[in-house]
Each structure stands twice: as structure tokens, then as C-alpha cells.
Amino acid sequence: MNKTEKNQLQKLACKVRMGAIEGVYNAKSGHPGGSLSAADLFTYLYFREMKIDPKNPKEENRDRFVLSKGHCAPGLYATLALKGYFPMEEMKKLRHIGAMLQGHPDMKGTPGVDMSTGSLGQGVSAACGMAAAGKMDHKDYRVYSILGDGEIEEGQVWEAAMFAAHHKLDNLCLIVDNNGLQIDGSVAEVGGPEPIDEKFRSFGFDVQVINGHDFDEIEAAFHHARTVKGRPSAIIAKTVKGKDVSFMENQVGWHGTAPNAEQYETAMQDLNRVLSGLEAE
Ligand SMILES: Cc1ncc(C[n+]2csc(CCOP(=O)(O)OP(=O)(O)O)c2C)c(N)n1
């Protein structure tokens, strides 16, 4: 990708982060940390990788996306809004009763959401089902799913992984947002799922480990995943929880906490600084 294209994606990712913060702040609850860590992955998937059309969200041959770590809905919603599925204004009503954007993705209420998720481990099983259905129906769509590294402590993830490899689901690409932190501690402390790459490899996946904030590496990984035949792909993306908000970066407390007014101002200043820097490039 050239410099201009990369700059475009970086600006979009910054806007995803701003949208997520806006939503969580207005809701006074929600999950900023993991939304920010996955922002570059969301951005690449929706703006470069997936075959989708926001004007026709249910198009039969579209690529599918499942946010298995459903609590990071603010990041997904901000991406969907930027892509044109609904106005960004909806973010201000995040988690309000009756609003379009609920605390976890709801496929019945939000255009662009392919699967309702939130119970960790289940989304990836649904993604496997979609990929298997694609194979059975001789469709050429691909299925993408973002998982948390805390989420992969769920046994169901590994049942799904076994299924995916057994059924040779090469139309399935799992992306682990490997930010090292989960709800109440570091992933290493809480459940110790490492080495994540070797685990997926031993389950029969093609595995790549990348910097999840570097668009060149992200692009190369998704390009490679498309070439893999006869087995599913896993991309282990090393990320920073709370990325680009100074006081949230790598802080476990920002898993599921909303910023207060002062913190909101600081977060927006941080992100505006990033955006201005990118605009000046
Ligand atoms: C089955 C299930 N158990 C517990 C939870 C509560 N929970 C929500 S988020 C979370 C931690 C997830 O950590 P991780 O996957 O690393 O997410 P991230 O850090 O990327 O936000 C937990 C335990 C849940 N949503 N579902």
C-alpha cells in the first residue's frame, strides 16, 4: 500500500477510536480498551478487505464478520458508521433503551451486524457455521471473526477451531486481538493461553503473528490468508489495549469503564493530536 493509502487508513482508525470514546462516554458505560486495540483491524477489514456493501447489508454473497469479543461493540459500531451503515450520531445514543446500538452486537437491530454476540467463545462457533454453510452452498464469500486473547480461554473456542480445521474451512479467518489484558488482569495471569500461535498451529490452522497497528503487516497477513487452501487461517495481532489514549494504554482498568468528563476531554485531545499529525503528513 502506498503512503497515501496508509495515511487514509490511519485517519479512519483514529476516527473509529474517537467514535468509540464518544459512544462509551455518552453511555456512561461500555468497553473502550479493547475497542481501541482492535480499531486498526476493524478499519482494515471494513475499508480494504471485506466484500460488503453498506447499502445492501444482507446481500447473499457478502463477506461475513463476527465480533466474537462482542463487548467491543463500540469499535465495531464506529467502523460501521464510518462505512455508511448508519449515521455516526447514533453513537451518542449507545446503550440507551430502544436505541439502535446496544451494549453488545444485535443482528436484529443494527444494520451490518451479521451475528449477535457477547457470550465469549460463541461468536467463533457461529463464524465456523457460516463458513461451513458457504462451502456447502458453493459460495465464495469469506468469514472473518475477531476474538479476544482473554476470550480464547473459553473451551468452546478450541472446539470451534477443531471443527474449522476438520472441515478445511479455508474461507475462515480468525483474528486474535492480542492486547495481553482481559477483564481482571493480564491474560498470562488469568488463564495463560500462550503460546497462542502454536496452539492454533497445532489445531491445524495457518498462523501468522503480526503487529496489529501496522497497516503494512495487516495487509500482508490478509493477502496471505486469502492464498491458504485446505485449512483455516489465524492472524495473531499484537495490539495495545486503549491504543492512542494516553491514560488508557495498557491499563487493565479501562477494559469496561467509561471516562468521566475530564477524562473524555483528555482522550479526545489525544486522538485529535494523532489525527492532526496524520492530516499534516
Ligand atoms: C461466556 C462469558 N464469560 C464471561 C464474560 C465476561 N467478560 C466480558 S469481557 C471479558 C474479558 C475478555 O477479555 P478479552 O477477550 O481479552 O477482551 P479485550 O481485552 O480485547 O477487551 C469477560 C471475562 C462473557 N462476556 N462471556
Side-chain angles (χ1 to χ4, degrees), residues 31 33-35 37 69 71-72 104 118-121 147-152 154 177 179 181-183 187 241 255:
H31 298 81
S35 292
S37 64
K69 56 166 202 158
H71 56 280
C72 294
H104 291 75
S119 191
L120 299 174
L147 290 86
D149 49 7
E151 178 180 14
I152 65 171
E154 294 283 350
D177 180 21
N179 58 34
L181 297 176
Q182 62 127 299
I183 196 168
V187 173
K241 204 158 180 173
H255 170 82

Side-chain angles (χ1 to χ4, degrees), residues 118-177:
S119 191
L120 299 174
Q122 293 185 358
V124 62
S125 294
C128 286
M130 291 173 183
K135 290 266 172 206
M136 285 174 192
D137 295 343
H138 304 289
K139 302 274 186 198
D140 68 353
Y141 65 74
R142 290 177 62 75
V143 183
Y144 299 87
S145 181
I146 293 187
L147 290 86
D149 49 7
E151 178 180 14
I152 65 171
E153 292 163 6
E154 294 283 350
Q156 182 168 352
V157 168
W158 302 105
E159 295 175 32
M162 202 160 30
F163 174 93
H166 178 70
H167 291 282
K168 302 185 171 50
L169 301 182
D170 50 19
N171 54 349
L172 177 76
C173 181
L174 303 183
I175 306 111
V176 179
D177 180 21

Side-chain angles (χ1 to χ4, degrees), residues 201-274:
R201 216 166 270 128
S202 71
F203 271 78
F205 278 61
D206 180 272
V207 182
Q208 304 173 80
V209 182
I210 62 162
N211 174 347
H213 300 307
D214 180 324
F215 281 112
D216 288 322
E217 290 194 27
I218 296 173
E219 178 179 60
F222 281 112
H223 279 190
H224 169 76
R226 281 183 177 276
T227 67
V228 174
K229 296 289 169 239
R231 56 197 167 134
S233 292
I235 298 174
I236 317 302
K238 302 273 180 199
T239 58
V240 173
K241 204 158 180 173
K243 171 84 174 136
D244 283 349
V245 171
S246 50
F247 60 92
M248 288 188 184
E249 284 199 355
N250 283 320
Q251 298 301 311
V252 71
W254 289 102
H255 170 82
T257 311
N260 62 27
E262 201 182 312
Q263 290 163 333
Y264 166 76
E265 289 304 328
T266 309
M268 284 308 194
Q269 277 167 16
D270 288 348
L271 293 169
N272 269 308
R273 207 172 302 122
V274 172

Side-chain angles (χ1 to χ4, degrees), residues 25-218:
Y25 171 63
N26 281 284
K28 297 191 171 54
S29 66
H31 298 81
S35 292
L36 301 192
S37 64
D40 298 297
L41 301 168
F42 285 131
T43 302
Y44 190 85
L45 280 164
Y46 277 88
F47 287 89
R48 288 298 287 258
E49 176 68 10
M50 289 198 295
K51 188 180 65 184
I52 42 164
D53 177 5
K55 290 192 188 67
N56 195 359
K58 296 274 184 214
E59 204 280 317
E60 215 185 310
N61 293 311
R62 73 190 184 284
D63 288 341
R64 270 69 168 168
F65 177 75
V66 180
L67 180 60
S68 199
K69 56 166 202 158
H71 56 280
C72 294
L76 173 64
Y77 295 155
T79 313
L80 291 173
L82 283 168
K83 186 74 185 170
Y85 283 89
F86 45 79
M88 191 55 101
E89 277 300 294
E90 289 291 331
M91 289 308 292
K92 295 198 171 149
K93 292 183 274 172
L94 175 71
R95 286 179 167 240
H96 289 33
I97 291 172
M100 178 200 283
L101 305 179
Q102 289 302 302
H104 291 75
D106 173 7
M107 65 195 285
K108 293 191 176 156
T110 309
V113 170
D114 289 321
M115 184 66 205
S116 302
T117 49
S119 191
L120 299 174
Q122 293 185 358
V124 62
S125 294
C128 286
M130 291 173 183
K135 290 266 172 206
M136 285 174 192
D137 295 343
H138 304 289
K139 302 274 186 198
D140 68 353
Y141 65 74
R142 290 177 62 75
V143 183
Y144 299 87
S145 181
I146 293 187
L147 290 86
D149 49 7
E151 178 180 14
I152 65 171
E153 292 163 6
E154 294 283 350
Q156 182 168 352
V157 168
W158 302 105
E159 295 175 32
M162 202 160 30
F163 174 93
H166 178 70
H167 291 282
K168 302 185 171 50
L169 301 182
D170 50 19
N171 54 349
L172 177 76
C173 181
L174 303 183
I175 306 111
V176 179
D177 180 21
N178 191 193
N179 58 34
L181 297 176
Q182 62 127 299
I183 196 168
D184 50 5
S186 78
V187 173
E189 254 166 31
V190 177
E194 298 89 355
I196 299 170
D197 54 340
E198 284 179 30
K199 283 208 174 67
F200 274 102
R201 216 166 270 128
S202 71
F203 271 78
F205 278 61
D206 180 272
V207 182
Q208 304 173 80
V209 182
I210 62 162
N211 174 347
H213 300 307
D214 180 324
F215 281 112
D216 288 322
E217 290 194 27
I218 296 173

